[in-house]
Amino acid sequence: MDKTTHPSRRSGPTRHIFITGGVVSSLGKGITCSSIARLLKNMGYSVRIQKLDPYLNVDPGTMNPFQHGEVFVTEDGAETDLDLGHYERYLNQPCSRHATYTSGRIYLSVIQKEREGKYNGGTVQVVPHITNEIKDAIRSIVAPEVDVVLHEIGGTVGDIEGLPFMEAVRQYASEVGRENAVFIHLAYIPYIKAAGEIKTKPAQHSVQKLREIGIIPDFLICRSEKPLNKDVRDKLALFCMVAPHAVIELCDVPTSIYEVPQVLLKQDLHTHIAKRLGLPEHECDMRAWDLMVRHIRNPKDTVTIGLIGKYINHQDAYKSVTESIDHAAYAHLVKANIVRLESETLEKEGWEEKLKGLDGIVVPGGFGKRGFEGKLNAIRWCRENNLPYLGLCLGMQAACIEFARDVLKLERANSTEMDEKTPNPIITVMESQKEIVELGKLGGTMRLGSFTCTLTKKTSKTSKCYGGADTVRERHRHRYEFNNAYRAPFEAAGMLFTGLYIPDPAQPEKSLVELIELKDHPFFVATQAHPEFRSSPVEPHPLFKGLVGAAYKHKTKGADSESATAAS
Ligand code: GLN
């Protein structure tokens, strides 16, 4: 990831951009926010993004992916909203735990302070105590080298639980000076088919609602199904109290979400923001970004990757995984056709049929028994049919269990997560996690964040993927690990342990298996980590690149042999 911070190009203090949403949710506020941030970064500014989420969970770590999509994990081990994934992918730079605050986290801190007597016996109230805590959260991401921070406020204007955040950002903007703070409101502009008209009234109302709170937006980004004509723009500018150039149109992009920065750039949003914030104007260097988008738009071929999991019907449950597959495909100049398969359906007779036609398979992270045997079936299929496989976290654990059952003939091999009484516990709870599991302390207690992994086999495919590096750092979120007692029989049967976490070289029994690979297979690689949290469209992750490359080779080799047969 791109960790270089540009030399500061600003004069004066860190500037702030607050992004609110109106009319309806799911307008793509996270993507819009990330796109603006990318444009500012491409102008040479040092940029950060922060999400302020009004819901009451302390973090999404214990939320069901059906409800909330994937849990994104930061380098420093915070379990966060998936929008942080967009921030990292667009900016190609890591976020910290200060990049995300929920109402739950804010309230928890205030209540803890109250219990510790830190308010000197005063009455603790939403204003000023909660709002002050929110302002501290905003300050926590400001640093001398940061030119601009974008703060995305979750939810929609008018939500009851969002009010303290709105009040806090209003106060904060006055405190830093309105010349240093910009408000951007993202609103939905519906098209009413029967009337054949675009309607601005919902957007007007949501801006009115903002004004009630004391916030007047500087820019209005219109998520619209149809282009806005001049009349509509003028009307919006007049009633929403923004300059005509500050009405920005954002229709659905044709090919990829990575086209959004270009749409905003065309309307000069970046220069208007820079001017409004008194930032010296710099050219926005889009060369690398434009090239990446060109690759997305012009794939030379397709590759079909199966994604096998429990939450397949939720669009966002495996967001970083599907994004990483896409990124890797762009790098190979192909388009990934991702086939989502519900793992439980791979437990029923005829499951093999569902896997035919796939060029590669990914089994992502997961928890619990449901659908686990289906994942094992898919993995066996890959192993036996030389089909490229990439396992992520549970996907590595499952690959080890499948190998133990089918190759080592340990038929009841399992993870103690799935079967506490298994005679062959290939995967067991980590020593450090035992007490946590017994006490049932959920939430922020797994092995979380980045750890250094030593790559142990220089000639392996894993090592080749990672460019021959000695060590790599990947992010984690798990409680279970490979049981080292089984290392020797696995190795004897052709499994390579290509990456280890070595906390103390003098105590090898404390090492954790982080990467495995099948010796005689075109590409069968699995990791205990979550490499999907480190991929960006401009810098795809090497393991995903390895998988997609191998999958494409598998596809074209198949085509070659078909045409050879046809010719003979
Ligand atoms: N359930 C497994 C564990 O806790 C895998 C977790 C994951 O895939 N994120 O170790």
Side-chain angles (χ1 to χ4, degrees):
M1 281 213 154
D2 175 7
K3 287 197 186 168
T4 52
T5 40
H6 294 271
S8 179
R9 286 189 156 196
R10 82 188 133 104
S11 44
T14 299
R15 317 296 212 270
H16 296 268
I17 299 176
F18 297 103
I19 303 189
T20 55
V23 184
V24 287
S25 59
S26 304
L27 289 180
K29 223 181 323 146
I31 288 169
T32 310
C33 184
S34 306
S35 300
I36 298 170
R38 183 72 220 193
L39 293 180
L40 294 170
K41 181 168 176 167
N42 286 2
M43 290 170 90
Y45 292 113
S46 136
V47 180
R48 285 185 184 167
I49 316 182
Q50 182 183 55
K51 176 98 192 251
L52 299 170
D53 252 324
Y55 57 76
L56 282 171
N57 302 67
V58 173
D59 61 46
T62 53
M63 283 162 96
N64 185 332
F66 268 131
Q67 284 256 322
H68 199 261
E70 103 183 342
V71 174
F72 188 82
V73 181
T74 58
E75 274 186 357
D76 59 359
E79 295 176 289
T80 77
D81 188 88
L82 56 81
D83 269 321
L84 270 79
H86 291 310
Y87 304 165
E88 291 204 1
R89 287 188 282 272
Y90 276 76
L91 287 180
N92 194 24
Q93 74 188 29
C95 290
S96 77
R97 58 176 58 247
H98 294 297
T100 170
Y101 283 86
T102 65
S103 286
R105 187 168 168 200
I106 297 285
Y107 273 81
L108 186 65
S109 168
V110 168
I111 290 167
Q112 264 161 2
K113 286 182 190 165
E114 187 271 337
R115 293 288 81 185
E116 288 160 12
K118 292 205 171 130
Y119 296 116
N120 298 327
T123 309
V124 180
Q125 295 179 298
V126 173
V127 181
H129 300 95
I130 296 294
T131 46
N132 283 349
E133 193 74 23
I134 296 170
K135 287 193 283 180
D136 284 344
I138 293 172
R139 272 178 218 113
S140 73
I141 197 164
V142 176
E145 72 279 10
V146 180
D147 296 326
V148 186
V149 185
L150 292 92
H151 308 268
E152 178 192 346
I153 297 155
T156 308
V157 173
D159 293 348
I160 291 175
E161 56 193 13
L163 266 177
F165 286 93
M166 296 294 180
E167 172 59 16
V169 300
R170 186 196 63 76
Q171 290 180 14
Y172 192 89
S174 310
E175 284 167 23
V176 296
R178 280 295 273 118
E179 68 281 13
N180 295 318
V182 154
F183 285 97
I184 298 181
H185 188 58
L186 187 72
Y188 180 55
I189 314 282
Y191 172 75
I192 308 294
K193 238 198 199 150
E197 268 179 47
I198 283 173
K199 292 291 180 191
T200 63
K201 196 57 71 69
Q204 292 180 37
H205 279 212
S206 79
V207 171
Q208 228 166 45
K209 198 87 204 148
L210 263 182
R211 286 206 302 258
E212 271 171 31
I213 305 163
I215 295 173
I216 299 177
D218 300 281
F219 295 90
L220 185 70
I221 300 187
C222 303
R223 287 289 287 117
S224 149
E225 287 157 47
K226 301 260 177 194
L228 311 176
N229 61 31
K230 183 162 183 318
D231 285 352
V232 173
R233 281 168 183 272
D234 289 348
K235 200 164 162 188
L236 282 165
L238 182 68
F239 291 116
C240 298
M241 268 175 77
V242 295
H245 69 251
V247 177
I248 306 291
E249 170 190 301
L250 184 54
C251 299
D252 284 348
V253 280
T255 318
S256 155
I257 54 168
Y258 297 114
E259 293 171 321
V260 174
Q262 296 171 323
V263 173
L264 302 178
L265 178 99
K266 269 200 201 121
Q267 299 174 74
D268 279 332
L269 179 61
H270 59 305
T271 47
H272 291 309
I273 290 176
K275 216 175 272 170
R276 166 67 180 71
L277 288 171
L279 290 164
E281 219 178 282
H282 296 287
E283 208 182 312
C284 188
D285 182 355
M286 294 290 283
R287 282 170 298 181
W289 197 268
D290 288 344
L291 181 68
M292 178 262 294
V293 171
R294 254 204 310 281
H295 287 165
I296 299 176
R297 285 196 189 134
N298 304 299
K300 63 170 191 209
D301 204 348
T302 58
V303 65
T304 305
I305 307 288
L307 176 67
I308 293 159
K310 245 180 5 180
Y311 304 108
I312 287 305
N313 296 326
H314 190 297
Q315 224 4 57
D316 287 338
Y318 301 103
K319 191 72 193 161
S320 294
V321 178
T322 53
E323 284 292 312
S324 302
I325 297 171
D326 283 340
H327 301 161
Y330 312 151
H332 287 286
L333 306 178
V334 295
K335 181 179 167 17
N337 166 28
I338 300 174
V339 177
R340 296 159 177 258
L341 292 168
E342 164 74 66
S343 45
E344 260 182 316
T345 65
L346 299 178
E347 292 172 355
K348 301 189 180 99
E349 215 172 301
W351 57 266
E352 293 93 337
E353 286 308 309
K354 294 192 191 310
L355 303 180
K356 288 187 180 151
L358 299 178
D359 303 316
I361 284 182
V362 176
V363 173
F367 296 83
K369 246 190 197 156
R370 186 166 69 78
F372 188 63
E373 297 295 322
K375 293 176 187 172
L376 298 182
N377 282 341
I379 293 168
R380 178 153 32 88
W381 176 267
C382 289
R383 188 173 53 74
E384 289 179 344
N385 294 294
N386 281 337
L387 192 70
Y389 174 69
L390 179 62
L392 312 171
C393 205
L394 186 69
M396 183 198 91
Q397 299 176 354
C400 294
I401 293 165
E402 190 284 317
F403 189 82
R405 286 191 193 174
D406 213 53
V407 179
L408 302 181
K409 302 294 171 214
L410 304 171
E411 274 157 30
R412 287 185 51 211
N414 216 329
S415 161
T416 51
E417 180 184 0
M418 315 300 164
D419 174 10
E420 271 179 54
K421 299 203 173 77
T422 169
N424 300 108
I426 304 298
I427 307 293
T428 49
V429 72
M430 273 181 275
E431 205 45 52
S432 55
Q433 289 284 327
K434 279 189 178 146
E435 198 191 317
I436 295 167
V437 171
E438 269 160 32
L439 297 176
K441 282 194 215 156
L442 303 178
T445 55
M446 284 187 245
R447 178 174 180 242
L448 286 166
S450 282
F451 293 89
T452 300
C453 163
T454 303
L455 298 178
T456 52
K457 303 257 187 300
K458 282 283 164 218
T459 54
S460 65
K461 292 189 187 77
T462 313
S463 169
K464 224 185 259 166
C465 283
Y466 279 117
D470 295 324
T471 60
V472 287
R473 277 180 77 74
E474 294 287 0
R475 300 185 200 175
H476 293 72
R477 181 173 186 253
H478 65 124
R479 292 191 202 282
Y480 295 80
E481 59 166 333
F482 182 82
N483 182 348
N484 283 329
Y486 289 92
R487 286 253 286 272
F490 266 64
E491 279 181 308
M495 180 69 85
L496 302 174
F497 295 99
T498 50
L500 296 175
Y501 168 67
I502 308 176
D504 180 359
Q507 292 179 286
E509 70 284 0
K510 290 210 166 142
S511 296
L512 302 184
V513 169
E514 298 278 30
L515 281 154
I516 62 160
E517 175 178 324
L518 269 187
K519 214 199 273 166
D520 299 314
H521 192 286
F523 190 92
F524 189 105
V525 173
T527 170
Q528 186 56 74
H530 287 278
E532 70 272 22
F533 297 143
R534 231 165 46 79
S535 182
S536 143
V538 286
E539 196 181 342
H541 192 282
L543 292 183
F544 284 90
K545 252 164 89 178
L547 170 81
V548 172
Y552 190 59
K553 213 182 240 172
H554 183 273
K555 170 180 170 161
T556 44
K557 213 170 69 201
D560 281 356
S561 59
E562 263 168 42
S563 53
T565 333
S568 63

